[in-house]
Amino acid sequence: MPNAPSETPRLVIKGVSKIYPSVIANDNVDLTIMPGEIRAVLGENGAGKSTLMKIIYGVTHPDKGEILWEGSPVTVQNPAHARELGIGMVFQHFSLFETLTVAQNVALAVPGRLDLAGLSRRIEEISGKYGLPVDPRRLVHALSVGERQRVEIIRCLLQNPRLLILDEPTSVLTPQAVRKLFETLRQLASEGVSILYISHKLDEIQELCHTATVLRNGRVTGHCTPSQETPKTMARLMIGEDLPTFHHGEPEEGREVRLRIDGLSVKSEDPFGVDLEDVSLEVRSGEIVGIAGVSGNGQQELLRAISGEEPVPDKRWIHVCGVPAGRMNASRRRALGMCFVPEERLGRGAVPRLSLTDNVLLTAFRRKMVRFGMIRRKAAKTFADDCIRLFDVKCGGAASEAKSLSGGNLQKFIVGREILQEPKVLVLAQPTWGVDVGAASFIRQQLLCLREKGTAVLVISEELDELFEICDRLVVIAKGRLSPSKATSETGVEEVGVWMSGMWPGAEPAKDEAPHVA
Amino acid sequence: MWLKFEQRPEPSRLMRYLSPLLAVGLMVASGMLLFHLLGKSPAEGFKVFFLNPVQDKYGVAELFLKATPLILCAVGLAVGFRGNIWNIGAEGQLLIGALAGGGLALHFHDTNSMLLLPAMIVAGALGGMFWAAIPAWLRTRFNANEILTSLMLVYIAELIVSWLVHGPWMDPDGFNFPQTRLFQAKATMPILVQGTRVNAGLFIALGALIAGWIFMNRSFMGYQMKVAGQAENAGRYAGFSARRTVWIGMLVGGAMAGIAGVAEISGPVGQITEHISPGYGFAAMIVAFVGRLDPVGIFFSGLLMALLYLGGEQAQQYLALPYSISKVFQGLLLFFLLCSDVFITHRIRWKK
């Protein structure tokens, strides 16, 4: 641990505040990082982590406070200035041009004359040195998500940064790829590079980081040494209270099949999309089935086919409660008893500028809310009020616009709206993505209750922990194909991680390229 | 001290309704400046343009007469605009509607039936719908942009009108003027107030406003259009048909424009000429936006736009300015509205 007191800190942040019109994103934040230190910045969504990193990287400017870079005060003008200083950042959402090669993409960030051949050599050098294999001549759209992240990291490393910022870097990686990333980061730290690691995944922080700074509501609420904490104590620092525990009953056998997918094959219309190949799956009444996988392996396509947003050509490919439903649109499938919670809340699961009452009508209108083609607003209002009360949605009432709700509360509202329709089949995509820890466990508990009432629940998630927590059975999606299913109790993170790279027993060898994983 | 332009935490409801008023104020102010630059007295210009047209009963009646086709077209367009259906070909739909209704009047020139006028109105609606159905079909079948196709169809409609009044439908006793014969009494709208030209078409427009309000605010179909307009993916998620949205948005707009066409030829014009509409179908888009796509707002903005038409005529007469001055005012109004609308989502703050 390079924490000799004589050393100048690499970066000191003193009393930084950033106030947006509607929210105080950072409130008097202090942070110090030494050379060679891996420091976690820990906090729930909306705690102000990303804003703080954007300030350090010069994307936005603080309203108050001071930044000391290697001992001298600086005002980081913009990202180019930050890179000049020696600060590199790997964003959560990649900023690569899909139609350019790796080397061309990297060249865009390198100042000076363009020398693709020389650059390619340097890329290969760095990728060899840090164990980040990637071919500089390949086009980015053909790369897996893990490979794309490597390109982003290599792009940063080319500038010889002395501080590297990573924003939620593991959300798109398999457990195995996460481990490789950690090795690289440790090697960098041992060479004196400081690393700021933003995450809300407590186990990763424990494994990797020397120190941690916890943010809550824009304020620093604590510092800790992760190796001396447990996930539970860190969670308390992060959310200010203990995590609730779950009640999980035993699955029952022999119930009827509510959702059957049978030989579903769909060619994606998006040239960079994933084709679904011969997908088959059954979800029975009273069980929760999870679909694990690295994002971009066909989840989007599969969800749209199941929900009816993108009907499929053969009606027998999808059965809802025994009815062939492949060619039905979303509304007709709902009439059969299927409800659906999409990944995007604003703009898909809810209309941002409409009130909660109006957003109830979106999917629940069959519950006597329309008569003679006219809306019965009272019925919709009652439903919305019930939903707000039963699902503890914090908002200004049923007349509030959907976009005025926080992500977690809107998600509770949407999940509530679908559950209150008493579905026979409920399909959820990323049910707790971007939701704070408290709301996430509430939603998971609701799913378990629904299961006990006999609903067939299908959850598609990239969070393995979540799937292991609530699912009875797991399948894995990779490159548009589905693995065999396994009872959650008979498998583990290791096995599912291997499957996530497309290598389950009996899997056909991939035809053209590697699956979309590292 | 400096100014900072920043996004509001949420759109301002107040500004949404204040913005059209601000735009009107700016339009009047720059109009006055324009009068000054042209060497006219701004005070005199204001009086001639905005006050003279409505200083007597006849003037007020003319105001409502001009507002009738504007309101009809604007209500129909608003239904589509709310669903993100950009029908900008109301002018063409108005003309084809006028041809359908007018053709009926010419064919039954000698009938004595009370049903002629109602039949003309229905025919006008169907004619407008037919013309709007073409871009709707092209959009749903080939995903062709309805903005382009509906606009191009305006010019085709104008040429059809021109061909008919120069050829097959020309009045044989009309000294070769490009116009049809005058319609008989059974094919003209009853006058509401003696001594003026305001006619029963106004009731149709008011009825359309009420029906439009109910459709947009109370019906489930209107709700579906609103969802489609605000969040297409939410509409697909809910399973609302995107095609139906296109068809309804286009057809309602076409029907209303077609009725407006009949109201013109069976009202003030009384025959089919090349000049049935002084751009009502285009001006109605401004009416719809200034009226915030809301029937109540459209009523007032329709009257305002009618005043601009009348003021243009007065300016031509008394200030010796070209008639296109009213087009300048229309343009200014739309321009300032779009500017003012920025303040719905943004605000200016003084920073120290």
Side-chain angles (χ1 to χ4, degrees):
Chain A
M1 274 279 295
N3 245 343
S6 59
E7 256 182 308
T8 318
R10 174 96 353 121
L11 178 80
V12 179
I13 288 175
K14 270 197 224 159
V16 160
S17 296
K18 176 75 192 176
I19 298 153
Y20 287 112
S22 52
V23 68
I24 300 176
N26 284 153
D27 187 1
N28 212 11
V29 171
D30 296 321
L31 184 83
T32 302
I33 180 163
M34 304 302 292
E37 181 181 353
I38 304 181
R39 177 174 285 270
V41 178
L42 179 62
E44 294 193 84
N45 284 287
K49 295 170 295 186
S50 291
T51 303
L52 185 61
M53 296 308 126
K54 282 183 187 162
I55 288 173
I56 297 173
Y57 196 54
V59 178
T60 182
H61 303 281
D63 293 322
K64 250 188 1 216
E66 201 183 358
I67 299 175
L68 298 179
W69 174 251
E70 300 185 325
S72 40
V74 287
T75 310
V76 186
Q77 306 287 354
N78 51 45
H81 183 210
R83 286 195 292 269
E84 246 169 68
L85 290 172
I87 303 173
M89 179 153 179
V90 178
F91 286 93
Q92 192 173 359
H93 303 286
F94 303 149
S95 44
L96 299 171
F97 291 95
E98 303 222 325
T99 50
L100 299 182
T101 65
V102 170
Q104 285 167 337
N105 263 291
V106 171
L108 288 172
V110 176
R113 275 176 60 89
L114 182 70
D115 169 21
L116 275 183
L119 198 58
S120 298
R121 270 196 306 280
R122 282 179 63 204
I123 292 172
E124 277 165 345
E125 240 170 68
I126 288 183
S127 79
K129 183 174 171 198
Y130 292 103
L132 297 162
V134 69
D135 180 349
R137 286 170 298 271
R138 278 181 72 191
L139 288 170
V140 164
H141 75 78
L143 300 184
S144 74
V145 185
E147 285 171 317
R148 288 178 199 210
Q149 188 177 49
R150 281 180 217 151
V151 177
E152 292 265 0
I153 296 175
I154 288 172
R155 187 157 74 174
C156 284
L157 294 185
L158 269 175
Q159 327 251 351
N160 300 316
R162 296 193 294 282
L163 172 65
L164 188 60
I165 305 170
L166 296 114
D167 188 358
E168 303 272 0
T170 60
S171 57
V172 294
L173 302 182
T174 61
Q176 285 81 0
V178 169
R179 209 162 306 136
K180 291 208 73 171
L181 172 70
F182 284 4
E183 278 167 29
T184 306
L185 295 181
R186 283 196 198 100
Q187 189 184 345
L188 282 167
S190 71
E191 292 170 9
V193 177
S194 309
I195 293 172
L196 272 173
Y197 188 89
I198 309 176
S199 181
H200 66 274
K201 292 185 180 166
L202 303 169
D203 49 340
E204 285 179 2
I205 286 170
Q206 264 199 306
E207 193 185 328
L208 177 74
C209 300
H210 306 136
T211 52
T213 296
V214 186
L215 286 181
R216 191 163 76 225
N217 296 330
R219 261 186 234 120
V220 175
T221 53
H223 299 276
C224 62
T225 308
S227 56
Q228 291 165 14
E229 303 280 334
T230 64
K232 215 175 154 183
T233 55
M234 283 200 289
R236 197 180 305 136
L237 273 175
M238 187 161 88
I239 63 172
E241 56 194 61
D242 279 327
L243 274 177
T245 46
F246 289 112
H247 162 72
H248 202 309
E250 281 300 303
E252 290 179 45
E253 298 291 325
R255 303 261 197 120
E256 90 260 24
V257 176
R258 289 272 177 86
L259 174 67
R260 189 161 88 225
I261 303 166
D262 199 2
L264 171 72
S265 298
V266 178
K267 278 239 172 290
S268 176
E269 285 191 6
D270 179 353
F272 300 131
V274 177
D275 300 337
L276 298 176
E277 282 177 51
D278 198 22
V279 170
S280 298
L281 179 71
E282 285 183 350
V283 187
R284 289 169 182 276
S285 161
E287 70 168 350
I288 301 181
V289 176
I291 301 183
V294 175
S295 75
N297 271 283
Q299 288 96 329
Q300 295 283 345
E301 290 79 3
L302 179 60
L303 278 168
R304 281 199 287 266
I306 295 177
S307 71
E309 287 161 285
E310 210 73 65
V312 295
D314 192 329
K315 66 176 181 180
R316 289 162 306 179
W317 283 351
I318 294 167
H319 284 74
V320 177
C321 300
V323 180
R327 302 182 65 163
M328 293 182 177
N329 71 13
S331 176
R332 292 180 57 205
R333 289 186 201 192
R334 267 199 202 93
L336 295 174
M338 187 167 86
C339 281
F340 176 55
V341 177
E343 185 177 342
E344 301 99 340
R345 279 147 223 163
L346 281 176
R348 189 161 163 205
V351 185
R353 298 280 306 278
L354 292 185
S355 69
L356 295 183
T357 302
D358 276 352
N359 269 299
V360 158
L361 278 168
L362 199 60
T363 63
F365 64 87
R366 275 198 190 74
R367 297 183 78 85
K368 299 199 173 97
M369 289 174 200
V370 177
R371 192 166 50 188
F372 307 124
M374 294 291 145
I375 296 166
R376 295 177 64 215
R377 206 159 289 275
K378 228 174 144 183
K381 167 102 169 37
T382 311
F383 189 100
D385 286 337
D386 287 349
C387 185
I388 290 166
R389 185 168 40 85
L390 294 169
F391 285 80
D392 191 28
V393 180
K394 290 191 184 70
C395 64
S400 318
E401 283 185 0
K403 72 190 271 264
S404 71
L405 271 63
S406 74
N409 278 304
L410 185 59
Q411 183 70 354
K412 282 198 271 187
F413 174 78
I414 293 172
V415 171
R417 178 185 70 194
E418 302 302 300
I419 287 180
L420 287 178
Q421 294 175 55
E422 296 159 352
K424 295 199 173 80
V425 183
L426 180 63
V427 181
L428 304 100
Q430 312 286 6
T432 61
W433 180 82
V435 171
D436 60 70
V437 181
S441 56
F442 176 83
I443 288 170
R444 287 174 199 153
Q445 185 58 61
Q446 291 300 322
L447 296 183
L448 291 170
C449 293
L450 206 61
R451 163 184 173 275
E452 263 165 45
K453 287 185 202 147
T455 301
V457 181
L458 179 65
V459 181
I460 299 186
S461 175
E462 282 154 30
E463 304 248 359
L464 273 184
D465 307 348
E466 167 171 274
L467 293 175
F468 274 97
E469 211 167 76
I470 59 173
C471 295
D472 300 304
R473 285 192 297 132
L474 278 180
V475 291
V476 173
I477 189 167
K479 203 70 186 74
R481 299 203 183 103
L482 221 54
S483 76
S485 90
K486 259 210 156 167
T488 312
S489 50
E490 288 162 18
T491 183
V493 176
E494 270 309 304
E495 186 179 32
V496 170
V498 172
W499 286 19
M500 277 159 79
S501 44
M503 292 176 285
W504 53 77
E508 298 166 47
K511 269 182 285 184
D512 40 6
E513 52 188 280
H516 278 196
V517 287
Chain B
M1 285 275 279
W2 48 289
L3 289 174
K4 195 181 171 200
F5 193 64
E6 64 173 27
Q7 192 154 16
R8 291 177 193 270
E10 55 187 85
S12 158
R13 229 166 250 275
L14 178 69
M15 264 320 288
R16 208 175 125 71
Y17 296 104
L18 220 55
S19 160
L21 300 180
L22 186 62
V24 170
L26 288 167
M27 173 195 73
V28 172
S30 42
M32 297 307 99
L33 183 68
L34 191 67
F35 285 141
H36 176 72
L37 293 175
L38 291 170
K40 319 280 175 193
S41 146
E44 176 70 11
F46 181 84
K47 186 170 162 289
V48 170
F49 206 97
F50 293 104
L51 301 180
N52 278 6
V54 286
Q55 61 191 349
D56 55 18
K57 188 177 85 177
Y58 182 79
V60 175
E62 283 292 296
L63 188 71
F64 279 97
L65 180 74
K66 287 258 187 261
T68 298
L70 290 166
I71 290 174
L72 273 168
C73 289
V75 164
L77 291 179
V79 168
F81 288 171
R82 281 188 169 211
N84 253 354
I85 309 301
W86 301 106
N87 172 14
I88 62 170
E91 181 80 0
Q93 291 142 25
L94 181 149
L95 292 177
I96 298 298
L99 287 185
L104 214 58
L106 293 174
H107 190 262
F108 294 102
H109 192 67
D110 302 317
T111 185
N112 209 12
S113 167
M114 296 295 289
L115 290 176
L116 180 57
L117 187 60
M120 285 168 65
I121 293 168
V122 172
L126 291 176
M129 283 162 85
F130 165 67
W131 212 240
I134 299 170
W137 181 72
L138 291 172
R139 163 83 188 267
T140 51
R141 179 69 184 77
F142 301 106
N143 204 21
N145 186 319
E146 77 277 12
I147 298 177
L148 297 176
T149 52
S150 65
L151 178 64
M152 289 191 283
L153 282 165
V154 171
Y155 305 112
I156 297 176
E158 282 177 354
L159 291 172
I160 293 176
V161 171
S162 179
W163 171 65
L164 284 174
V165 297
H166 278 96
W169 287 8
M170 188 156 71
D171 182 0
D173 309 319
F175 309 103
N176 252 344
F177 277 107
Q179 58 195 32
T180 66
R181 66 210 300 187
L182 281 169
F183 296 161
Q184 55 133 326
K186 287 282 180 289
T188 48
M189 293 273 184
I191 297 292
L192 295 181
V193 182
Q194 282 312 312
T196 70
R197 301 200 295 166
V198 68
N199 60 47
L202 181 62
F203 286 132
I204 302 179
L206 294 178
L209 281 177
I210 295 168
W213 190 88
I214 292 173
F215 178 82
M216 290 181 202
N217 294 301
R218 288 284 176 266
S219 79
F220 190 52
M221 194 58 229
Y223 168 81
Q224 293 183 31
M225 303 272 304
K226 192 156 63 177
V227 170
Q230 291 189 15
E232 206 186 324
N233 284 334
R236 190 172 314 132
Y237 160 71
F240 302 157
S241 162
R243 282 170 181 228
R244 192 163 53 187
T245 308
V246 174
W247 278 105
I248 289 182
M250 289 301 295
L251 292 185
V252 172
M256 291 297 164
I259 293 174
V262 172
E264 281 301 288
I265 55 159
S266 64
V269 185
Q271 63 190 148
I272 303 175
T273 75
E274 280 188 293
H275 309 288
I276 299 168
S277 157
Y280 287 142
F282 291 118
M285 289 191 275
I286 304 176
V287 171
F289 280 112
V290 173
R292 310 272 74 159
L293 304 184
D294 179 89
V296 179
I298 285 171
F299 175 75
F300 291 108
S301 61
L303 290 177
L304 172 69
M305 184 58 73
L307 184 62
L308 295 186
Y309 272 106
L310 294 178
E313 286 170 11
Q314 296 279 328
Q316 195 178 13
Q317 250 177 327
Y318 297 103
L319 298 174
L321 291 173
Y323 182 62
S324 44
I325 191 84
S326 78
K327 286 248 158 64
V328 172
F329 273 90
Q330 286 181 21
L332 286 173
L333 180 60
L334 182 61
F335 176 78
F336 285 124
L337 180 78
L338 295 176
C339 295
S340 315
D341 274 357
V342 174
F343 292 99
I344 297 175
T345 50
H346 290 73
R347 65 187 172 197
I348 289 178
R349 287 224 301 199
W350 277 262
K351 275 215 145 184
K352 268 166 253 167

